[in-house]
Amino acid sequence: MSIATLLPPAFVVLAVALVMPFVSRRVGHALGVLSTGGVAVWSLLAPAGAHLPVTFLGFDAVLFNVDEFSRLMGIIFGLIGAAAVLYSYSSGARNVQTAYALGYVGTSLGAVFAGDWLTMVFFWELMAVTSTLLVWDYGGKAVRAGYRYAIAHGLGGSLLMGAIVWHYVEVGSFLFSATGGIAAGVPAALAALGIGVNVGFVGLHTWLPDTYPRPHFAASVFLSVYTTKTGVYGLARAFPDGNLAIAYMGTAMAVVGVGYALMQNDMRRLLAYHIQSQVGYMVAGVGIGTALATAGAFAHVYNHILYKALLFMTAGVVLSRTGEENLKYLGNLRGALPATALAFTVAALSISGFPGFNGFVSKGMITAAAHKEHLDGIFYLLLAGGVGTFMSFIKFGYYAFFRDADRDWSLDRAGTGQSVAMLGVAGLCVAFGLYPDALFAILPGSTADAHPFTLSHLGEGFALAVLGVIGFVVVKKPLSKVGDVPDVDALLNPAVFYGTRGLVRGATGLFAAVDRVVSAGAYDVAGAIANPYPALRRIAGGLGRTEADSITVGSLRATIATSIALVVLILGGVLVGLLA
């Protein structure tokens, strides 16, 4: 057994999470930074093929496995985890909150380093539990949102578990190495739906904008990273050769997400919709399934984690300093929060895909893959999503930082740890945008046709930016009048509530009716056994004197025996019903 396999990285982070509530804030958060940063270094240096085979629940499993997919996920999960813990410390997060966050990080690492479906779904479900606890920890409105979040991910995890069990029946193994993805047919459909909850398929996405604006702003940084990107990883494991239906779903996510984001005024709700939109690019890349598309999908996973966490960090600083999350009531913050404004600008240009920033590299890889495969519908819709992204973040930046507002802010600037975390991540967004070869070196798939600095690709990036500016100018006034825009949850939540209530009432009413019938029958039988003579007299009256006289003691005994047998049958039926 090699040194790399002696201490799985997930368990190191989970151990720190368990210890953290019992140490000081400084020590606990320092351990958090060291453990997550250590995971990034470990993932980079661990030899390919390092794995730890185990027996889990009597089945062959691989507790963790290092390949090009898990390596990349480990590097970025560890890197952003360290930045988020530092940010949390500087944001005044309690040890318990960060302990939940580290539990979330650790279980996510367990899922992406799993070498088989059984281990993966085990950590997948724990990831849902730890993230729910992280949401609930804040209390207030976060409790209700966390409850809906838990229901959504419980449903998604159950569908994925069903897919994995069916897959095992089909192929006889849980190991990734045994087959090329999930078994076709029903297992594939269940896996797509189950994973679709985590990545935010259209119609399954409302937990994102519902949940992420609710908890502590430092918790939102963690939440923006792990669930959806673990979902993309799971989708790539399930469909390694792609799937055109998934590619079109990803495209729909990109367009629907950006459309809803553009109409939001709540900062974190806007950013949550953009998670769905940006993850849509990754899902489209996985669905296209070529080497370039796969490389682009995971490049976008890596880059998105950087700039999306950075956007939530900047929104958190604005919220904590102003006490306001609605863009309509902000403005002119660039002077009061200069480091935050700079970090936001870098993140906004990155997510929008402006040349020289990391999003430009990975978005271009996915659109190039779609164009190369002659998937023109996907290609042009993803470009349209890019225009919408520019418009969204021009809106965010204008209303929060650059619009002249009546109010002259006098605020405490971002804390030292917050600034270090934000500017460090912003530096990586620029570095990977200017030197993409550093990212190409760790990507799965092929990057042969991926280099971004071609005239056509640069022209595309600048054209999208110009169209974004023009588009925002055109829609700025109408957008300022838009209030709360209902999403599918406006129908889904009442339908689930009243449907569930109707089901419960119907089931309890049915059981009550059955109970009344059985109770009445049992009471009558018990009365007949205790005092059979009134019943016999009624029988005698019906039969007439002659027939009544013929009733013997033997027939009386037979009647009593039959009654006892009937009671036993009734009680047995009730017992079976309860056990079922």
Side-chain angles (χ1 to χ4, degrees):
M1 184 178 293
S2 67
I3 296 177
T5 61
L6 289 176
L7 202 58
F11 291 97
V12 176
V13 178
L14 290 172
V16 173
L18 291 174
V19 169
M20 195 163 184
F22 306 102
V23 297
S24 67
R25 281 191 73 248
R26 178 172 294 183
V27 171
H29 285 80
L31 289 173
V33 171
L34 290 173
S35 62
T36 49
V39 167
V41 176
W42 182 95
S43 301
L44 183 63
L45 299 180
H51 66 287
L52 182 60
V54 296
T55 300
F56 184 60
L57 301 178
F59 300 98
D60 290 334
V62 178
L63 188 59
F64 79 92
N65 177 65
V66 180
D67 63 9
E68 55 189 355
F69 291 95
S70 58
R71 182 191 304 279
L72 179 136
M73 300 302 291
I75 292 170
I76 191 59
F77 275 9
L79 186 64
I80 206 66
V85 172
L86 176 60
Y87 179 87
S88 295
Y89 177 71
S90 187
S91 301
R94 298 176 302 113
N95 276 28
V96 172
Q97 176 183 307
T98 307
Y100 288 139
L102 288 174
Y104 179 34
V105 175
T107 51
S108 301
L109 287 167
V112 298
F113 275 108
D116 65 279
W117 288 110
L118 190 60
T119 305
M120 181 177 173
V121 79
F122 174 77
F123 282 107
W124 187 282
E125 296 286 44
L126 286 178
M127 182 176 67
V129 172
T130 51
S131 55
T132 300
L133 292 173
L134 179 58
V135 175
W136 275 343
D137 179 68
Y138 195 58
K141 293 181 179 179
V143 174
R144 190 179 181 91
Y147 177 71
R148 291 191 291 266
Y149 176 93
I151 292 175
H153 289 285
L155 175 62
S158 298
L159 290 170
L160 179 59
M161 191 178 301
I164 291 169
V165 171
W166 200 311
H167 169 83
Y168 180 82
V169 172
E170 293 279 339
V171 305
S173 176
F174 290 113
L175 299 177
F176 292 152
S177 58
T179 59
I182 205 80
V186 175
L190 290 175
L193 287 173
I195 298 172
V197 173
N198 272 39
V199 298
F201 278 2
V202 176
L204 304 176
H205 67 281
T206 55
W207 60 269
L208 269 165
D210 182 46
T211 306
Y212 287 5
R214 300 301 184 193
H216 189 279
F217 62 89
S220 292
V221 177
F222 288 96
L223 291 166
S224 71
V225 171
Y226 293 96
T227 296
T228 50
K229 267 58 78 180
T230 301
V232 173
Y233 169 85
L235 207 60
R237 288 292 189 193
F239 302 95
D241 300 320
N243 181 292
L244 200 56
I246 288 174
Y248 279 105
M249 174 55 79
T251 306
M253 291 167 60
V255 176
V256 171
V258 80
Y260 271 101
L262 189 57
M263 294 184 284
Q264 304 305 312
N265 292 308
D266 183 295
M267 289 186 293
R268 287 190 289 175
R269 191 169 171 83
L270 183 154
L271 295 179
Y273 272 114
H274 262 294
I275 293 177
Q276 183 198 20
S277 178
Q278 294 296 301
V279 170
Y281 285 83
M282 306 167 206
V283 171
V286 170
I288 293 169
T290 63
L292 176 60
T294 300
F298 278 86
H300 209 52
V301 167
Y302 193 98
N303 288 333
H304 175 268
I305 286 172
L306 291 173
Y307 59 64
K308 181 59 68 174
L310 180 56
L311 285 165
F312 270 96
M313 289 180 187
T314 59
V317 172
V318 171
L319 173 61
S320 64
R321 295 303 185 270
T322 66
E324 183 57 65
E325 194 152 17
N326 193 315
L327 290 170
K328 289 184 177 181
Y329 305 115
L330 296 172
N332 200 31
L333 287 173
R334 64 187 182 276
L337 301 171
T340 306
L342 174 61
F344 169 82
T345 302
V346 171
L349 292 171
S350 297
I351 192 174
S352 300
F354 194 77
F357 298 85
N358 62 350
F360 171 71
V361 176
S362 48
K363 277 189 174 181
M365 294 169 71
I366 297 168
T367 54
H371 190 264
K372 189 175 181 180
E373 296 301 306
H374 306 290
L375 299 171
D376 293 338
I378 293 175
F379 174 74
Y380 287 113
L381 285 172
L382 291 180
L383 291 183
V387 174
T389 305
F390 270 107
M391 293 170 65
S392 296
F393 286 96
I394 291 170
K395 172 185 174 177
F396 192 132
Y398 170 75
Y399 281 104
F401 294 102
F402 300 103
R403 176 184 58 159
D404 288 333
D406 296 335
R407 187 170 178 177
D408 187 17
W409 301 95
S410 178
L411 306 171
D412 293 333
R413 296 186 176 184
T416 301
Q418 291 175 323
S419 296
V420 170
M422 290 190 299
L423 296 178
V425 175
L428 291 174
C429 290
V430 175
F432 287 118
L434 295 176
Y435 186 63
D437 289 340
L439 178 57
F440 292 166
I442 58 173
L443 288 179
S446 172
T447 58
D449 300 320
H451 214 283
F453 302 124
T454 63
L455 289 178
S456 61
H457 192 193
L458 288 168
E460 181 182 291
F462 286 117
L464 294 180
V466 171
L467 290 173
V469 173
I470 295 172
F472 176 71
V473 171
V474 170
V475 304
K476 175 176 173 289
K477 189 172 182 179
L479 279 179
S480 66
K481 300 177 181 179
V482 173
D484 292 333
V485 180
D487 200 341
V488 67
D489 57 349
L491 297 175
L492 187 62
N493 287 348
V496 171
F497 174 78
Y498 288 109
T500 303
R501 187 171 72 172
L503 179 63
V504 170
R505 285 183 173 180
T508 54
L510 177 60
F511 279 116
V514 172
D515 180 69
R516 285 194 297 271
V517 172
V518 172
S519 297
Y523 180 80
D524 290 342
V525 170
I529 293 172
N531 185 13
Y533 297 106
L536 292 175
R537 283 196 294 270
R538 285 196 299 272
I539 295 173
L543 293 175
R545 175 68 60 180
T546 302
E547 291 85 351
D549 291 339
S550 67
I551 296 177
T552 65
V553 175
S555 62
L556 177 60
R557 290 174 178 171
T559 302
I560 295 174
T562 302
S563 300
I564 293 172
L566 180 60
V567 172
V568 171
L569 286 174
I570 291 172
L571 293 177
V574 172
L575 179 61
V576 170
L578 291 174
L579 292 177

